[in-house]
Amino acid sequence: MPKDLFHEITSNYRMGITPYYFGLINQYDHTDPIYRQIVPSSEELNILPEELLDPIGDENPARGSRPLKALIHRYTNRVLLIPTAQCAVYCRFCFRKRLVGDTAHNAREEDLHAAYKYIRSHPEIEEVILTGGDPLTLGDQALLTILNELGSIQHLRVIRIHTRLPVVNPFRLTSELGEMIISSQKPIWVSAHFNHSAEITETARQHILNWISMGIPFLNQSVLLRGVNDSMKALKELFLSLIEIKVKPYYLHQADLVQGTSHLRVSQQRGLELLKELQGEVPGYALPHYVQDNSDGSGKIPLQNQWV
Ligand code: SF4
């Protein structure tokens, strides 16, 4: 790719790849499923009229679901807490492209305190989901402070951590961090983000199984992506490989209408066909919910075939 073009694309949306994840790419093959997820493409400059900067309505003022800088309150009994906007890698399809990697969107101490205060004053909130950015890019001490603050909130029942670190840098899943998580006053679920079975390496397997053996439960969310996992064979291999490492496939997301991502999107109709093909090919507990986020910020809707 010419240098100028590369600069134009990455000035719109930054590039970031961990050495470990880079090592998984077949560098001579631009159709490689990991390459497609992480290496900038000139197709990102093709912005369609229906594409949005905020495709899931995080900031929709009409819904007022972002009452604070570090907090999104979309469903009554759970909130998203965004302590950082930094990620270990910058996925080309990211639905929060508008903010990830921008330090201006990192929560300051006062933003976090305002979020804790909000959660304390809303007894209907039962679950906090740490997301971002990637919360596991924070240091152990910063994470411990957050977990202790949340742990002290009586009405909270559970904490979830959304992270791509098990995929792009599994070495972050240290035993020390695992101990810290398991010692939290609240049960903590980890939701990873594997999109292709090639990401489930022996290193990822060992680190995840170590945390699971310590008592940390894992889920996985995938995004349906063109040229990455949009075939029955690829999805079947992904979901079966996940249950082999004891990770429950939870969601398969219809890719959001993010600006400059049409080359990575698959139609809903194709998604439904794939789901139909998968029925009977994998056990029921390995089949995730196929969902789409509404663009107005009202949350997820299930995408389902009509069965009698
Ligand atoms: S790790 Fe998650 S938040 Fe970060 S760029 Fe990838 S999809 Fe977006």
Side-chain angles (χ1 to χ4, degrees), residues 33 36 195-196 223-235 252 263-267 270-271 274 277:
R36 280 184 66 75
N195 288 326
H196 193 274
V223 182
L224 182 60
L225 295 167
R226 197 196 313 169
V228 174
N229 56 17
D230 60 332
S231 70
M232 202 277 274
K233 195 169 163 233
L235 287 176
L252 174 66
H263 60 295
L264 290 168
R265 277 198 304 278
V266 176
S267 70
R270 178 67 187 134
L274 286 167
E277 289 174 37

Side-chain angles (χ1 to χ4, degrees), residues 13 87-91 93-96 100 132-134 164 193:
Y13 179 54
C87 296
V89 298
Y90 292 98
C91 312
F93 52 85
C94 180
F95 66 110
R96 293 215 173 98
V100 293
D134 196 316
R164 249 206 132 191
H193 183 172

Side-chain angles (χ1 to χ4, degrees), residues 15 43 95 101 108 149 178 221-223 243-244 255:
M15 174 188 184
E43 292 175 286
F95 66 110
R108 296 158 303 177
E149 286 283 354
Q221 310 197 58
S222 305
V223 182
I243 60 168
E244 273 182 318

Side-chain angles (χ1 to χ4, degrees), residues 140-153:
D140 286 5
Q141 194 51 51
L143 274 169
L144 184 63
T145 306
I146 295 170
L147 296 181
N148 283 344
E149 286 283 354
L150 296 177
S152 69
I153 302 175

Side-chain angles (χ1 to χ4, degrees), residues 253-264:
H253 291 268
Q254 171 66 19
D256 298 305
L257 283 171
V258 194
Q259 286 189 348
T261 58
S262 57
H263 60 295
L264 290 168

Side-chain angles (χ1 to χ4, degrees), residues 54-60 63 65 72-75 293-300:
D54 177 17
I56 70 165
D58 279 345
E59 323 270 353
N60 182 358
R63 295 201 70 85
S65 51
I72 296 175
H73 195 175
R74 184 169 287 134
Y75 301 103
D293 269 285
N294 274 323
S295 59
D296 65 356
S298 57
K300 291 181 181 53

